[in-house]
Amino acid sequence: MKHVFLINPRAGKGDRAARLQAMAKRLAAAHGLEVSCLLTDRPGAAESLARALAETGEPLRLYVCGGDGTLHEAANGIAGYSNAAMTVIPAGTGNDFLKNFGPDAAKFADPENLWDGPDFPLDLIDCSGRLCLTIACSGIDARIADSVHRYGRLLSGRGSYLLSVAVNFLFKPIGRRWQVELDGETIEDDFALVSMCNGRYYGGGSMPVPQARMDDGVLETILVKNVPKATFARLFPAYSAGDCWKFPHIARVVTARQVSITACPGEEDIVTCLDGESMRSQSVTLRLADRQVNFFGPAGCSPNATAQEARRPANV
């Protein structure tokens, strides 16, 4: 079996490639494994490299060394390949994906906890043909995330995030006029955001739908109507904590099998953020993907470690 460290040298703060390569070398020596390292050199490289490895048909364990964006690319590369499984060694800024594993998230930093761990399938969201591991969000949250990347050229870290919030929240309207279709039910309204959740965390730790599970074949979608900016600011902490049920006149959670979002005439493109990676279009269709991705981690870990035990009613 091949063990491949797929390293994004630009993820997080500073170049960690040398440290990760040394880690791979130690793992090979300690257990007599066939271990190699590949470095990404451009956006999209993790996906193409992962797919090329999976297409050989050889048994593969892929250690994705980067953040949520690198993991997103790798998942799109190996999804549906039964011979390939992936894990993550966190090297990004937010690493929201690993928060789903609760206390076991810290164990992913050491490949000694990973190399012989069990593998299990994870569901994926299909967003107009693009696959997403955790949350596919459209609206104000996606526009903020998209701007963070662009403003990162001017400022770093929290500075770029605060600038993005200021531009999108203070100086632009929150809502957009969309037509949203939920398994045949059509709603036209002004929406602040529409997010489909397979996992529970995004945006640095926000957890809008705490009952979402990553392997149950069910996707939860939260719809939040447009409200005045002061109201949005007051209610956002509850949204971020998964307490949307406290304001049912504004937010709604559904388990629709397919959700389509279409911008009404005159509206700008819809910005959709998939695991932190942005796309723009006038129409987006979201559903459970017909492919899964094999994932491996420390013995006893669960991607549902922080999920609520009991689901709230599908519509609140």
Side-chain angles (χ1 to χ4, degrees):
M1 176 180 290
K2 287 186 175 181
H3 296 254
V4 179
F5 280 57
L6 185 57
I7 301 169
N8 180 355
R10 295 171 301 282
K13 297 178 180 178
D15 188 345
R16 306 180 186 180
R19 180 179 65 83
L20 291 164
Q21 288 170 315
M23 188 182 289
K25 187 175 181 179
R26 288 194 299 271
L27 186 70
H31 303 286
L33 303 175
E34 181 185 350
V35 181
S36 59
C37 295
L38 294 174
L39 272 65
T40 63
D41 58 358
R42 55 182 172 79
E47 180 176 348
S48 57
L49 289 170
R51 182 175 292 114
L53 290 166
E55 286 176 342
T56 67
E58 297 181 60
L60 170 69
R61 286 210 146 188
L62 190 65
Y63 303 73
V64 181
C65 306
D68 292 327
T70 312
L71 192 66
H72 167 83
E73 290 188 10
N76 274 268
I78 72 166
Y81 286 92
S82 60
N83 59 300
M86 72 177 191
T87 192
V88 59
I89 297 176
T93 303
N95 302 305
D96 282 318
F97 171 80
L98 281 182
K99 293 180 175 71
N100 292 286
F101 291 83
D104 283 332
K107 297 180 181 178
F108 284 84
D110 186 351
E112 283 290 339
N113 299 322
L114 305 174
W115 71 275
D116 61 347
D119 62 77
F120 43 87
L122 295 178
D123 295 330
L124 296 165
I125 301 169
D126 183 320
C127 179
S128 298
R130 189 72 185 166
L131 301 179
C132 173
L133 268 167
T134 50
I135 295 180
C137 61
S138 300
I140 180 65
D141 47 357
R143 295 195 297 275
I144 288 173
D146 180 59
S147 297
V148 167
H149 294 301
R150 289 188 284 115
Y151 297 144
R153 302 187 189 102
L154 304 174
L155 299 169
S156 61
R158 186 167 177 78
S160 60
Y161 174 77
L162 292 174
L163 177 58
S164 179
V165 170
V167 170
N168 286 280
F169 183 76
L170 297 178
F171 304 117
K172 294 184 179 181
I174 291 177
R176 297 290 190 271
R177 191 76 179 177
W178 292 341
Q179 186 178 88
V180 178
E181 186 173 339
L182 311 166
D183 287 345
E185 175 193 359
T186 301
I187 307 165
E188 183 175 320
D189 209 334
D190 294 330
F191 289 94
L193 60 90
V194 177
S195 295
M196 179 174 275
C197 305
N198 181 42
R200 292 172 297 285
Y201 300 94
Y202 79 136
S206 291
M207 184 177 61
V209 185
Q211 66 265 35
R213 288 165 170 78
M214 302 189 74
D215 57 4
D216 64 352
V218 176
L219 300 176
E220 324 271 354
T221 299
I222 182 168
L223 301 92
V224 179
K225 292 183 179 181
N226 188 38
V227 292
K229 291 181 179 180
T231 303
F232 187 87
R234 179 169 55 84
L235 296 180
F236 186 78
Y239 167 85
S240 186
D243 291 334
C244 65
W245 55 272
K246 292 181 177 179
F247 42 99
H249 57 296
I250 297 172
R252 178 185 179 192
V253 176
V254 300
T255 54
R257 289 176 295 178
Q258 180 167 300
V259 176
S260 296
I261 310 168
T262 302
C264 290
E267 288 287 356
E268 299 176 352
D269 280 351
I270 301 164
V271 179
T272 301
C273 199
L274 313 175
D275 304 323
E277 300 299 301
S278 299
M279 57 181 284
R280 294 170 179 269
S281 62
Q282 280 286 299
S283 182
V284 176
T285 299
L286 304 149
R287 63 178 179 83
L288 181 70
D290 55 11
R291 291 177 285 166
Q292 294 179 309
V293 64
N294 293 322
F295 191 85
F296 64 97
C301 74
S302 170
N304 304 317
T306 63
Q308 283 187 353
E309 288 298 324
R311 292 183 184 274
R312 295 192 179 277
N315 298 289
V316 297

